[in-house]
Structure formats: structure tokens, C-alpha cells
Amino acid sequence: MGTDGGEILTIGSVDFGEEGQFEIFQRMGNFVESMALKSVVELGIADALNSNASGQNRPMTLSEIAARIALPSLDIARLSRLMRFLSCKKIFSATIDSDSGEILYGLTNSSKWLLTKSEESLVPYVLFATHPHVLASWSRMSACIAEGGTCGFSRATGSTLYDFQSENSEYQKVFGDAMACISKLVMKAVLNCYKDGFKNVGSIVDVGGGSGAAVAEIVKAHPHIKGVNYDLPYVVSNAPEHHNVTHLGGDMFATIPHADAIFLKYVLHNWSDEECVQILKNCKNALPERNGKVIIVDVVLNPQSDSLSDDEALRLDLGMLVMTPSGKERTEDEWKMLLKEAGFQQYKIIKIPSLPSIIEAYY
């Protein structure tokens, strides 16, 4: 019997078939969570919860949140439903005020990643992952598999990822901001966990380094290293200056500048096995025979694991399927095969608190 005289009856139990049904419903509805997070970012809900007058991140009522969002036509009833959903998912906290009986919402360790001005924010990646062109690419996955060839992004836009960016400044900024966001987080983990790895390196080339931000962080943390940012000429021509970093334009499929170490962060997962072997062979030719090494920062798939990071890595692999012509994530065995074919007989995998791992490869 309920507290107010109502009664809830549960008749029967969920059998195996019905549980499978609910599992499929839940998987189908995962996109709802993505759209809910996009709404949080676009409405500035996390920022509103982080901006109370006292400077303390105390929980707030819906009315207080709405006042800080400051949209004249904001629908509080609909906002309530969004916050109820996300608090059930532990994105926001929800408690009952003992005096007023109102629900108070607050930031959690998850929603703090949705603050726009935070040093560690995933906002740019949320906007990229939920961008209409990206969602349209995902909708072409079955065609990619059934027909092969053209990737989902090209099917959706009629252009390759990089050609499309050169013609669409809005998407170029969304993509660039997302990659910079992820790179910043990854580099923090690399620099914190791989300090000894840079000790005996006098020079390093960041292949496909884009703006040069990553190699600039390396030489800032290790001033004895001379850094080279190596990318296509049109990319490095727009790269900002960094202390102790030289920008050099070229083609990694043709040649790579000589250095004690070659740095490849989120590069090889963009290419086919054959293309990766060619890049790695060029790396090998650029290294000294003694003590030279390639430092690869990329995902190492572990399909048997049920950790959140390994599950996300599998999602990223499907993302490469729809966004690139031949890119993919790889297991340790697949990495071992590539390295061996390129002439690297030894390797070491270093797990770091980030989605990718560090793979050191030697002669």
C-alpha cells in the first residue's frame, strides 16, 4: 500500500526474452544521452550551476538555474525533465531541500567536464560528436559495410574529411577545437606518466603535429630537447611560433626528418595497415641505429575488457570506420604486426590515464 493510499502491483517477472528487449531499447536510446549533453552545453546549464554569487558551487533550484541561463522564453517544465533525466544518469546531483521541498541540482565530477571555461573541458568534443555532419556520417555505417569503399563522412558530405574542412570554415573550427581539446587532455597524461621517456632524447620530431602545440609542451617540460613540428606545408604555414620548436613542411609518406625520437600522436589510426607500415619505415630511416625510438600515442584495443575506457575505444574504432576511408583502432597483436613489418623488433606498451596508450618501438 502506498503512503497516500495508492498501490503498486508487480505481476510476474521479466524473462530472458523481455530483458533482451529492454537491452535493445536502451541501446537504441543512447543517442538521447548525447543530445541531452549537447543541450546542457548549448543552454550553459553547467556554467549556470558554477556561477552563483557566493562563489561556492552550492546546489540550485530550477528557478535559480533558469535565472542564470537568462533566456526570456525558457520553459522551466521542460528544463525540469532534462535535469531529471541527467540526474538519474549521475551527470548532475539531485537532492531535496529540507525546508522548501524543492529539488536542488548540483555539479558532479562528470558535469564539471561540461564547463566551457574550465582548463579541462570536453565541451568542444561534445559539439563535434553531435554535429549534424558527424551524425549524418554515422547514419551511413551500414552502407560503408555493405558496399565498402567510400566512408560515411564522404557519403554524407560528398567530400573527404580534410577537403570538406578546407571548404567549410564552421566545421573546420568545430573539428579543430575538438581535436585540440582531446590533445590537451592526452598530452597532460603523457607528460605526467612518461617523464623518464624523454630524458635521453636530444631531438624529437612530431609527425602530423598540426599547430605544434604537443611538441611545444614536450620541449617546455624538457628544455634540453629540440623540437620539430612536421606536417603538410599548408598546415605549418599557419602554425604559431613556439619556443625551441621549428616548423617544417613535408610529406610523411615520402620522408621524415632525422631525430633521436619520432612522436606520433593519433596519427596512425587514420591510415590503413599498408600506409602505417610506410610511415613507420620512414620513421625507422630517420632514427639513429642506437637508442632511437618511435613514441606512438594511440589506442590499444582490448575487446575482452569491460572497463569504460576500453568500451569507449571500441566506439572510437567504429567512429574511424564512418569518418575515414581506411582508419581504425588496433589490438596489441595488430600493432605488433605493423611494427615488425616496418623493422621494429621490440616494443613496449605503457598504459596512461587516458584513452590511448604510449607504444615505444625500437630497432
Side-chain angles (χ1 to χ4, degrees):
M1 188 71 78
T3 56
D4 296 320
E7 189 172 4
I8 299 174
L9 298 177
T10 301
I11 301 175
S13 60
V14 177
D15 65 23
F16 178 79
E18 288 169 333
E19 287 215 2
Q21 174 192 148
F22 295 143
E23 178 77 11
I24 294 300
F25 275 130
Q26 186 176 56
R27 300 304 179 191
M28 285 193 302
N30 278 348
F31 79 95
V32 175
E33 296 177 32
S34 300
M35 294 300 104
L37 293 179
K38 182 182 183 183
S39 296
V40 169
V41 169
E42 291 179 335
L43 293 171
I45 294 173
D47 290 330
L49 285 167
N50 196 47
S51 63
N52 61 73
S54 67
Q56 299 176 353
N57 296 326
R58 63 172 179 80
M60 299 183 193
T61 64
L62 281 171
S63 297
E64 290 177 307
I65 296 170
R68 284 164 175 77
I69 294 175
L71 293 173
S73 301
L74 186 110
D75 189 322
I76 292 187
R78 286 175 171 168
L79 175 62
S80 172
R81 290 155 68 183
L82 175 64
M83 296 302 290
R84 176 177 62 190
F85 175 79
L86 289 173
S87 62
C88 286
K89 299 295 181 182
K90 311 301 181 186
I91 301 299
F92 295 107
S93 65
T95 55
I96 304 295
D97 184 272
S98 57
D99 295 325
S100 67
E102 290 188 86
I103 300 177
L104 300 174
Y105 295 99
L107 295 173
T108 65
N109 288 335
S110 297
S111 49
K112 287 176 182 177
W113 289 90
L114 301 176
L115 296 169
T116 55
K117 295 181 180 179
S118 171
E119 281 293 310
E120 296 183 339
S121 173
L122 285 173
V123 165
Y125 199 79
V126 170
L127 294 175
F128 162 71
T130 57
H131 191 281
H133 291 314
V134 175
L135 297 179
S137 303
W138 280 106
S139 72
R140 270 70 171 184
M141 183 191 292
S142 59
C144 294
I145 296 170
E147 302 168 11
T150 308
C151 70
F153 186 86
S154 295
R155 291 172 187 271
T157 63
S159 181
T160 67
L161 178 62
Y162 298 108
D163 287 344
F164 186 78
Q165 288 184 69
S166 67
E167 300 162 0
N168 188 313
S169 58
E170 182 268 339
Y171 183 77
Q172 182 182 43
K173 184 177 188 316
V174 170
F175 181 84
D177 288 350
M179 296 306 103
C181 152
I182 295 301
S183 178
K184 187 175 183 179
L185 297 175
V186 170
M187 285 307 300
K188 180 180 179 180
V190 169
L191 292 173
N192 284 340
C193 302
Y194 191 65
K195 295 174 183 177
D196 291 344
F198 293 114
K199 276 186 178 179
N200 298 318
V201 174
S203 58
I204 190 168
V205 173
D206 184 2
V207 177
S211 68
V215 70
E217 289 188 55
I218 292 172
V219 300
K220 181 180 179 181
H222 303 274
H224 66 281
I225 298 178
K226 293 183 178 180
V228 173
N229 177 45
Y230 186 64
D231 212 314
L232 294 170
Y234 83 89
V235 175
V236 297
S237 66
N238 297 313
E241 289 188 12
H242 299 289
H243 177 68
N244 210 21
V245 173
T246 301
H247 295 298
L248 186 62
D251 179 2
M252 64 184 175
F253 289 102
T255 185
I256 289 174
H258 289 261
D260 296 332
I262 308 295
F263 191 70
L264 291 160
K265 177 175 62 64
Y266 275 150
V267 171
L268 297 180
H269 77 158
N270 290 306
W271 304 99
S272 68
D273 290 347
E274 294 76 17
E275 290 164 322
C276 285
V277 169
Q278 181 59 55
I279 295 168
L280 288 168
K281 283 182 176 179
N282 289 343
C283 289
K284 183 172 180 289
N285 292 335
L287 292 170
E289 290 188 11
R290 294 184 61 188
N291 301 321
K293 62 182 176 181
V294 176
I295 305 167
I296 301 166
V297 180
D298 233 319
V299 165
V300 179
L301 291 176
N302 183 7
Q304 286 72 43
S305 169
D306 58 0
S307 73
L308 284 175
S309 59
D310 286 317
D311 181 67
E312 186 56 32
L314 291 170
R315 292 174 190 262
L316 183 58
D317 180 49
L318 291 184
M320 300 306 294
L321 184 156
V322 299
M323 295 296 289
T324 68
S326 55
K328 62 178 182 177
E329 307 303 339
R330 295 174 169 90
T331 63
E332 180 178 351
D333 285 343
E334 289 171 320
W335 280 114
K336 181 179 180 180
M337 179 192 69
L338 290 184
L339 293 169
K340 185 175 181 180
E341 190 170 343
F344 293 97
Q345 302 301 319
Q346 301 179 68
Y347 71 92
K348 178 168 62 175
I349 295 176
I350 303 166
K351 298 288 288 184
I352 59 175
S354 187
L355 193 59
S357 297
I358 297 172
I359 308 170
E360 280 187 336
Y362 319 87
Y363 272 56

